[in-house]
Amino acid sequence: MDRLLFGDNQFFGVNHMSEEKARAQAMRFQDLDAVMAVLDAAYDEGIRTFMCTTHERVAEIVAVVRANPDRYPEFTFYPCMPYAHKYANAVTDYGMIGALRRFLPDDGVVATAFKGGRAVARKDVESMITMLIDAEMSMFRGASTPVIFLQNVIVDLLLGLGFDEAFAVFARHVRENYGAEPGYITMNLVRLLDALDRVGIENPIVCSNMNKLEFRMSGGSESYRSALQERRFRAIAMSVFASGAVSPREAFEWVADFPAIESVVFGASSAAHIRSTREIADEVWPATEVEGIVR
């Protein structure tokens, strides 16, 4: 994985500290050209991986990248699914079965719909999970997606339900059908690592809040510190700036204390902010060698 990953919160009006800033960003990025200008700036700074939700507008970004292979030869997507709001809205508008049918992939509609119908009738959860993964991934056809993530809204719900096997179902499907590595986003790092151990998922890719202020770090910094020092997993840190409460320099100095952190995902709205973040990361978070792998 690349050390710096670019996130999409700013494009879709997500800010964990300021609703006003979130609304302003949502208005600014209504235009696809504005989104692509920021992604171009990140790409030109050498940040080639876009870690994104499966928001409907991401399909427009994929289409631009796919249509311009000379401009984006190394552009990589890390899809994070599901984008819960679109399902909630669809269930409200079309009902549960209608919502599932609405998000079926374009090809094999009849077969997939039949499969879904049986899944509902038999409460066949594995069929439901794999069908919805395929639906979410349809927008990424022709794009590079080496890691596919299950969003924290689902991961943490499954943890609460004790349904560990769903994590293994997800892993098998993305490996066998997309040649990708499964990733998991969580607000409960240690509990997730325990669950993944129970279903035999070794050295998993896990993205969680990790920052100097313990911002949204369920269980506290000591449990995270122990996990990073003692557990075997590929860590991606998000919210390292604690939604602006920690400066980039402080954030990456903190990250540098944990060699197990392979990547940091961050969002930015301007070329200057992206360049500054990349330069600070290069300065205070130098690449290290862990188990023979340069990070």
Side-chain angles (χ1 to χ4, degrees):
M1 296 186 294
D2 290 340
R3 285 162 57 75
L4 288 180
L5 316 175
F6 199 66
D8 70 350
N9 276 355
Q10 67 279 358
F11 297 142
F12 305 124
V14 177
N15 186 290
H16 300 298
M17 284 292 196
S18 170
E19 286 294 328
E20 182 178 352
K21 186 175 181 179
R23 285 193 297 271
Q25 288 177 330
M27 291 295 292
R28 173 186 169 188
F29 291 115
Q30 284 182 328
D31 180 39
L32 180 61
D33 288 342
V35 174
M36 292 309 304
V38 175
L39 288 174
D40 285 349
Y43 191 85
D44 293 340
E45 287 294 328
I47 302 169
R48 305 299 168 84
T49 301
F50 182 39
M51 189 168 171
C52 55
T53 60
T54 52
H55 190 286
E56 292 91 337
R57 294 194 62 209
V58 169
E60 301 172 15
I61 298 170
V62 175
V64 171
V65 171
R66 195 166 44 214
N68 296 276
D70 293 337
R71 173 68 177 92
Y72 306 107
E74 299 177 2
F75 199 110
T76 299
F77 292 90
Y78 282 2
C80 307
M81 62 183 66
Y83 188 67
H85 293 295
K86 70 180 179 182
Y87 285 100
N89 292 340
V91 168
T92 299
D93 293 340
Y94 306 104
M96 182 64 75
I97 302 301
L100 292 176
R101 288 174 176 162
R102 183 174 176 79
F103 292 111
L104 292 175
D106 292 336
D107 57 339
V109 171
V110 174
T112 310
F114 178 68
K115 180 181 179 183
R118 288 189 302 161
V120 172
R122 299 181 181 179
K123 302 186 186 302
D124 183 342
V125 177
E126 181 165 350
S127 292
M128 289 291 292
I129 292 172
T130 57
M131 181 186 71
L132 289 173
I133 293 169
D134 293 342
E136 293 281 271
M137 286 300 296
S138 63
M139 71 174 69
F140 294 97
R141 286 194 188 93
S144 173
T145 57
V147 183
I148 301 171
F149 286 87
L150 195 61
Q151 277 275 33
N152 57 281
V153 67
I154 298 299
V155 169
D156 294 338
L157 174 63
L158 294 171
L159 282 176
L161 295 173
F163 188 18
D164 297 348
E165 179 58 28
F167 301 130
V169 171
F170 178 78
R172 285 195 299 269
H173 193 68
V174 299
R175 284 178 173 144
E176 294 172 3
N177 291 272
Y178 297 97
E181 281 294 302
Y184 305 88
I185 305 173
T186 184
M187 300 295 175
N188 296 275
L189 175 64
V190 176
R191 287 192 64 186
L192 176 63
L193 292 176
D194 291 342
L196 297 179
D197 281 348
R198 287 194 291 269
V199 294
I201 297 176
E202 298 180 354
N203 197 23
I205 298 172
V206 178
C207 179
S208 188
N209 287 352
M210 299 179 193
N211 56 76
K212 183 178 181 179
L213 297 185
E214 301 186 32
F215 176 66
R216 304 177 80 206
M217 291 172 61
S218 179
S221 62
E222 284 307 311
S223 66
Y224 280 62
R225 184 180 294 273
S226 296
L228 287 167
Q229 292 174 341
E230 301 168 9
R231 307 290 290 266
R232 187 167 181 264
F233 71 107
R234 289 166 284 175
I236 298 176
M238 63 180 180
S239 291
V240 293
F241 308 140
S243 279
V246 177
S247 72
R249 182 170 295 275
E250 287 181 289
F252 283 108
E253 286 174 346
W254 184 88
V255 168
D257 286 338
F258 299 96
I261 297 178
E262 291 193 21
S263 304
V264 167
V265 56
F266 76 102
S269 301
S270 70
H273 186 188
I274 294 167
R275 183 177 302 111
S276 174
T277 301
R278 194 266 302 160
E279 289 174 348
I280 291 170
D282 288 346
E283 177 187 349
V284 304
W285 185 38
T288 58
E289 186 170 323
V290 179
E291 297 179 354
I293 300 172
V294 175
R295 295 174 181 166

